[in-house]
Every structure is written in structure tokens, then in C-alpha cells.
Amino acid sequence: LSFLAQVHGQGGVKFQNWAKTYGSSPELYFQPTSVEEIREILDMARQRNKRVKVVGGGHSPSDIACTDDFMIQMGKMNRVLKVDKEKQQVTVEGGIFLSDLNVELSKHGLALANLGAVSEVAAAGVIGTGTHNTGIKHGILPTQVVALTLLTASGEILECSESINADIFQAARLHLGCLGVVLTVTFQCVPQFHLHEVAFPSTLTEVLDHLEDHLKRSQYFRFLWFPHSENVSVIYQDTTNKAGPTRGSIWGEGSPPSSSASWLWDYAVGYYLLEFLLWISTFVPSLVSWINRFFFWLLFSSRVENIAISYKIFNYECRFKQHVQDWAIPIEKTKEALLELKAALENNPKMVAHYPVEVRFARGDEIWLSPCFQRDSCYMNIIMYRPYGKNVPRLNYWLTYEGIMKKHGGRPHWAKAHSCTRKDFEKMYPAFHKFCSVREKLDPTGMFLNTYLEKVFY
């Protein structure tokens, strides 16, 4: 027993996700510093018949990371293990935050080709839930993974890549935290680059009618639609050889604003006013459509440009606590689905939708549980903010949206809240049964399951 005493779990730790929408009270909370320690924790869990949940940044807006048993937080296993300049690959420990990795890579003149909006997330977690950004030539973030190592429930370490344990590799690149503990991840990088971001106003009709052109014209194209209106903000991000500090806007930290006036306007006025108005709208829901239009006029109706190193443009501050849903549908369904959502809001004046509906695109891939499995996809992200932490009624909007997404063959983003069960996933994912058999082989007793995952697999 003396050797077990080396790992200390803390009791009484309350875990909450970033948006404070989900939480749990693990019986014991561990922050291991080595593989040996993790092995001991798994041994202890086996002896006491406990389940284990591994977490990174705790950013997922769902209960995917919650447990009442043992929780392993990987923050102390966050080293860069190897940078291979020739292959432009980097191997890191699973607990490293992308925010630290971005800085580290740029010292070597490298970068990740694509990143999500947030970098306070751990490498193993980012791939575990299928984080994505936008760009029709770019896959979701797990497509940048070329190898990983997995510590299984039995304490065995598996090296996985296209050539070794290939089946486990296609499962583990989007692992949902249920195959074992991801110890290391090897990412394919690209040479460091700067991005030129241009945001300009348009209309929903224009963007949907010329979607092909927009997708061709910009490498990382996305757009924001302001529900209850025709207003759209189109965002182009493209590589540039100019490096220059220019003014950021409220949603992109980019670089420091050039004048205190613009800072005051965007941050102080924009941010606080929006939260206050949304709070008022919880009493007068009909205000929401006016708020959406007002903020479009205030912050999105003129052209804004920004140039910075890639990760500063990809990342932007999510300033509000929020509830989100984000489903991927086949790209050719984009127009139909969005127009249906718009019609549903118009036909139901009681249903309110905060802005923005964020529309992004991703290339198809071969990862078994990827929402983009074998098809180019459009992700449609809907948000309900929680002004001052207050919950806003969202059920009608949520269910209407889910209905439209399902009808068009949609698949939900794994990190976000959704109401799907195993039956749905068996229909959505041709390789679902393959994933299940790998999971059952690697974790026969279900050590790595929790409530969220039981809905997925049972």
C-alpha cells in the first residue's frame, strides 16, 4: 500500500465547465505529473470499482467531462516533447494548453494550420470532442493529428498512427475521453503565417446565393447571421506576408486597439450595453430582434480589417457565458437549412434567438466519429447568452433548430449539449459500431464512462 500513497487525490473539489452550465463533485481529484502516477490512479480506481474522467481546460459546454468518482486533471502534464523541424511535426503531452503550444511553435517558426476560437484548452481534449474552425480546405482539428499514445484501462500503453494500431488511431483521433488516457499527441504543423482578416456587412440572401464564390474567395471563410433580420457579417481570413498591428474589434482580440476611443466604444459600451440589454430582454422578449439589429448597426455595419499572427486571428474572446448548439450538416444543405431556421423564427414571434448564428465550413475526413465523416460540411452554431448568469428560455428555439438539423442529416458537435442517443448515432455514423467495438475492447468494464457517455453508448 505504501506505493499507492504516492498519489494524492483531493476531496471536496467542485468541477465546473467554463460557462458554468454544468458541474460535478468528484470524490477524488488528481493532478498527476507522470505516467506512473496515472497508472496508480487507474489501479486504485479498479480496486475500488470507481470510474475515471480525464479533463483538460473544462471548456466543453456540456456534461461530457463530469463525474462523481475520480477526476484526473492533466494540467501538470503539459510539456512539448519533440519538435521535428524537417517533418514540421510537434509531439506534446496531452495536458498542454493550445495557448502555450501556439507560443512555443512560433519560436520554432511553426504553427497549427487551423485553430478553434479558444486556446485555453488541452491538446487531448481538443481532439477528443472534435473541435473545429472553418475553411473548406481544412478538416476539423483532429485531422491535424498524425500520431498519439493512449494509456488503456489495463495500464497498457498503445502507440497509434496511420501505420500502427490504425483502427484505434481512427477511433482515438476523436475519442470522447472513453478509450483511455491520451498521454501524447503529435500534430502536423505548417510554417508560421500571418492572417489578414476582413469583416464586411452583407445580407443573408446574397451570401446564400453566392456561397460557392465566398468559399473559393477566402481560405477561412465564415459568416454571422443576425436572427430576426437579413443582416450578415462576412468574415474572410487569408494568409498574408504583411505583418502589421491593426485595430482589433470587440470579438477579435487581434492586437491592441489603436485609440482609447475605439476601445471604449467596442469593449466598454459594446460589451456592457449588450449584456444589459439582453438582461432587459428576458422581461421583454420582443426586444431581442431590435437588439440584434442595433448591434449589427453599431459594430458590424462597417468594414473592419486586422492583420496578426495566425493564432491571434483564429482566437477570439468569448466574452459571455452562454448555451450553445453546433451541428454539422452536408454542405449542400446550407442554404435550405438556414432559410428554414429563419422561416421558423418568423412564423413563431414568441421564439427569440440571440445573435449571432455562426456558419462555418469544414472538409470531409475519415475519422470514425467526426461530424464531417466522409462529407464536406457546414457547421451552424446557435447561441443563447446568459446575461449576468441568468438563464434565458431557449427550449423552443433549441428543439426547432435540432429538428431542422436532424432533417438534413445533421450530426451534433460532441462538446456541445444535444439530445441525441445511441439510436441517433447509429443512424448518423456509418462507423459507429466500429468505434463501439474498439471502446469495448479497450475498456471492457466502462471505467472511462460517465452519464453523458452512457447516453451515447447505451
Side-chain angles (χ1 to χ4, degrees):
L1 270 178
S2 60
F3 102 103
L4 264 183
Q6 322 228 321
V7 269
H8 289 297
Q10 272 176 285
V13 172
K14 176 124 176 68
F15 166 76
Q16 273 198 317
N17 70 339
W18 172 83
K20 299 199 175 5
T21 43
Y22 294 91
S24 66
S25 302
E27 185 181 318
L28 287 176
Y29 179 87
F30 300 89
Q31 286 194 299
T33 55
S34 70
V35 179
E36 287 64 45
E37 279 181 50
I38 300 177
R39 270 213 182 97
E40 286 176 32
I41 298 165
L42 298 187
D43 284 344
M44 193 152 94
R46 206 174 301 109
Q47 286 160 14
R48 301 197 194 170
N49 204 8
K50 295 289 180 192
R51 286 177 163 185
V52 177
K53 195 80 290 313
V54 185
V55 301
H59 234 278
S60 295
S62 68
D63 53 350
I64 192 166
C66 295
T67 183
D68 292 331
D69 285 7
F70 289 2
M71 183 173 275
I72 298 179
Q73 203 280 331
M74 293 291 279
K76 292 191 167 153
M77 297 184 68
N78 62 352
R79 292 171 308 163
V80 174
L81 300 173
K82 183 180 174 203
V83 178
D84 183 331
K85 285 230 164 138
E86 220 139 279
K87 289 186 180 162
Q88 300 186 337
Q89 290 175 355
V90 61
T91 303
V92 296
E93 288 183 308
I96 193 171
F97 271 16
L98 293 191
S99 46
D100 296 328
L101 177 57
N102 292 334
V103 173
E104 207 45 50
L105 283 176
S106 72
K107 291 180 191 164
H108 295 278
L110 295 172
L112 289 170
N114 212 346
L115 289 164
V118 179
S119 278
E120 277 58 54
V121 284
V126 164
I127 67 169
T129 54
T131 303
H132 68 96
N133 181 21
T134 193
I136 197 52
K137 293 202 163 60
H138 295 274
I140 62 173
L141 268 55
T143 58
Q144 302 177 83
V145 174
V146 290
L148 50 84
T149 55
L150 194 63
L151 177 65
T152 64
S154 64
E156 186 189 359
I157 292 182
L158 300 176
E159 307 274 336
C160 309
S161 67
E162 296 276 3
S163 49
I164 320 162
N165 290 319
D167 265 13
I168 297 175
F169 181 62
Q170 287 310 8
R173 286 208 282 175
L174 203 161
H175 54 74
L176 301 183
C178 68
L179 303 178
V181 183
V182 175
L183 298 174
T184 72
V185 182
T186 303
F187 289 104
Q188 180 59 53
C189 304
V190 295
Q192 181 179 329
F193 60 104
H194 280 70
L195 281 175
H196 178 201
E197 176 178 71
V198 184
F200 58 91
S202 183
T203 64
L204 190 59
T205 313
E206 187 281 324
V207 172
L208 293 178
D209 287 350
H210 301 105
L211 203 54
E212 284 297 307
D213 300 343
H214 286 291
L215 284 163
K216 284 194 192 103
R217 200 168 298 163
S218 173
Q219 193 184 351
Y220 303 95
F221 154 67
R222 65 188 155 114
F223 67 91
L224 311 176
W225 169 55
F226 290 66
H228 310 293
S229 78
E230 260 284 306
N231 296 331
V232 162
S233 174
V234 173
I235 298 154
Y236 284 174
Q237 294 171 339
D238 290 286
T239 46
T240 175
N241 14 11
K242 294 206 257 324
T246 55
R247 190 190 139 213
S249 79
I250 184 172
W251 308 112
E253 38 192 338
S255 39
S258 51
S259 71
S260 51
S262 68
W263 181 87
L264 183 84
W265 191 242
D266 275 6
Y267 282 82
V269 180
Y271 173 53
Y272 291 110
L273 185 61
L274 178 60
E275 187 160 29
F276 178 65
L277 288 175
L278 286 175
W279 180 75
I280 298 230
S281 78
T282 61
F283 306 99
V284 192
S286 57
L287 276 179
V288 170
S289 63
W290 175 84
I291 293 170
N292 287 359
R293 289 197 291 268
F294 172 68
F295 270 88
F296 179 80
W297 170 80
L298 186 71
L299 294 171
F300 297 90
S301 56
S302 58
R303 185 185 161 99
V304 178
E305 293 192 66
N306 200 357
I307 294 180
I309 194 157
S310 59
Y311 63 84
K312 289 195 175 165
I313 296 280
F314 286 141
N315 289 165
Y316 51 90
E317 262 175 285
C318 300
R319 302 190 136 261
F320 296 107
K321 303 301 181 209
Q322 56 199 26
H323 285 286
V324 264
Q325 278 236 46
D326 190 16
W327 285 51
I329 53 175
I331 197 163
E332 59 277 9
K333 304 280 192 186
T334 306
K335 180 174 178 173
E336 211 179 324
L338 246 185
L339 291 178
E340 260 177 63
L341 188 63
K342 183 172 191 260
L345 290 171
E346 282 164 8
N347 297 334
N348 185 346
K350 286 215 164 64
M351 194 157 63
V352 300
H354 292 162
Y355 81 83
V357 171
E358 185 180 16
V359 184
R360 290 174 286 180
F361 303 90
R363 196 187 68 218
D365 60 53
E366 291 300 321
I367 298 169
W368 291 351
L369 289 190
S370 163
C372 303
F373 181 72
Q374 294 183 344
R375 65 185 200 200
D376 290 351
S377 301
C378 162
Y379 276 95
M380 221 168 273
N381 186 16
I382 64 166
I383 289 177
M384 285 302 265
Y385 292 119
R386 300 172 57 225
Y388 311 120
K390 179 176 179 176
N391 276 331
V392 176
R394 62 180 197 283
L395 202 61
N396 277 349
Y397 181 32
W398 246 223
L399 294 174
T400 303
Y401 164 86
E402 275 201 346
I404 295 170
M405 295 292 110
K406 266 189 183 156
K407 177 179 143 187
H408 291 295
R411 297 167 178 158
H413 187 327
W414 290 106
K416 313 279 166 82
H418 57 79
S419 62
C420 299
T421 59
R422 174 164 183 148
K423 270 203 181 71
D424 296 306
F425 294 126
E426 283 173 344
K427 280 202 219 68
M428 292 170 181
Y429 287 101
F432 191 76
H433 61 280
K434 283 192 191 168
F435 187 94
C436 290
S437 64
V438 165
R439 188 195 73 75
E440 284 152 24
K441 203 165 65 204
L442 295 181
D443 184 18
T445 64
M447 180 189 278
F448 295 107
L449 292 178
N450 64 358
T451 315
Y452 174 103
L453 290 168
E454 276 172 353
K455 286 186 211 128
V456 174
F457 294 113
Y458 292 108

